[in-house]
Amino acid sequence: MRSLNSILDLSVEELDELIATAKDIAAHPEKYRDSCKYKKLATLFYEPSTRTRLSFEAAMLELGGSVLGFSSANSSSAAKGESMADTAKILSCYADIMAIRHPKDGAPFVASRNASVPVINAGDGMHNHPTQTISREMGRLNGLTIGLCGDLKYGRTVHSLIEAMCRYENIRFVLISPEELKLPGYVKYDVLEKSGFPYEE
């Protein structure tokens, strides 16, 4: 298995397969009840999180696995100065996979380069949060007009979603935010305009 640092780590075919598997798990949970039996997920959350951390933990438990980890940097050896690289190396001895949320851009990538188990990026800085999808609600990923409202500058779910959806067809974005929280230029120009997708602010 490999790490997941960015939605761009997955091809469109892999994304579609992942979504299909998630739908099947939701529809037939009993089929997957022991899929992760004897497997351990380490949740390394260096910043506060409720929904994301608990969604990872609940998913692992529902697949028959177990969870260990921490929900605050203050309760880890990071408070004593341990580096992300060292933490990843050490926790690779205790877990089969890690989910990492960190306030610094690129921290999960550093962990993935030093861990001997796969790392899932559960949010880093203002860049990635690649575990979001709208497929379940809409039933498709092509031919959508997507309105994104609120904090588009720092909202990493927004950035990852735009990167993911720009790989599908006939997508249009409506970006709704106050001036000071507008979508950053590197997403607007390097992703939206480079991909040729229409948008309005």
Side-chain angles (χ1 to χ4, degrees):
M1 292 184 69
R2 67 185 200 262
S3 294
L4 177 61
N5 282 298
S6 165
I7 201 72
L8 300 179
D9 291 345
L10 300 172
S11 66
V12 171
E13 293 74 24
E14 287 173 321
L15 273 174
D16 290 341
E17 184 180 346
L18 194 63
I19 290 166
T21 301
K23 286 180 177 176
D24 196 48
I25 291 171
H28 309 285
E30 67 288 345
K31 197 164 99 177
Y32 297 89
R33 196 156 285 141
D34 294 322
S35 297
C36 293
K37 192 173 183 180
Y38 306 122
K39 300 292 183 184
K40 295 185 286 293
L41 163 70
T43 52
L44 285 62
F45 278 63
Y46 289 83
E47 63 179 358
S49 170
T50 301
R51 290 172 296 279
T52 301
R53 182 174 60 84
L54 293 180
S55 68
F56 274 104
E57 294 180 0
M60 189 60 166
L61 294 172
E62 288 180 16
L63 295 174
S66 55
V67 178
L68 54 104
F70 54 83
S71 58
S72 167
N74 293 334
S75 61
S76 77
S77 290
K80 299 186 290 185
E82 183 174 87
S83 70
M84 173 58 73
D86 286 342
T87 299
K89 286 177 189 172
I90 296 298
L91 287 187
S92 294
C93 300
Y94 302 124
D96 300 288
I97 190 166
M98 297 180 213
I100 300 177
R101 182 173 214 157
H102 203 283
K104 290 186 180 174
D105 298 339
F109 177 74
V110 171
S112 69
R113 296 298 295 251
N114 291 277
S116 56
V117 299
V119 171
I120 299 172
N121 183 351
D124 68 319
M126 60 181 215
H127 282 168
N128 291 292
H129 198 313
T131 52
Q132 304 291 321
T133 182
I134 57 172
S135 173
R136 186 170 61 184
E137 297 298 324
M138 300 303 296
R140 69 185 195 281
L141 290 175
N142 289 308
L144 296 172
T145 296
I146 301 170
L148 300 168
C149 180
D151 179 1
L152 307 187
K153 183 175 183 178
Y154 300 107
R156 52 193 163 204
T157 53
V158 169
H159 304 167
S160 288
L161 183 61
I162 288 173
E163 286 186 327
M165 295 309 299
C166 280
R167 301 164 80 189
Y168 289 87
E169 296 177 359
N170 301 318
I171 302 296
R172 176 176 167 268
F173 293 94
V174 180
L175 308 172
I176 308 150
S177 71
E179 185 68 29
E180 61 273 17
L181 294 175
K182 288 176 74 170
L183 193 70
Y186 76 87
V187 179
K188 192 187 305 180
Y189 304 118
D190 295 346
V191 179
L192 281 174
E193 293 191 3
K194 191 176 279 187
S195 301
F197 280 84
Y199 68 91
E200 63 177 290
E201 295 184 286

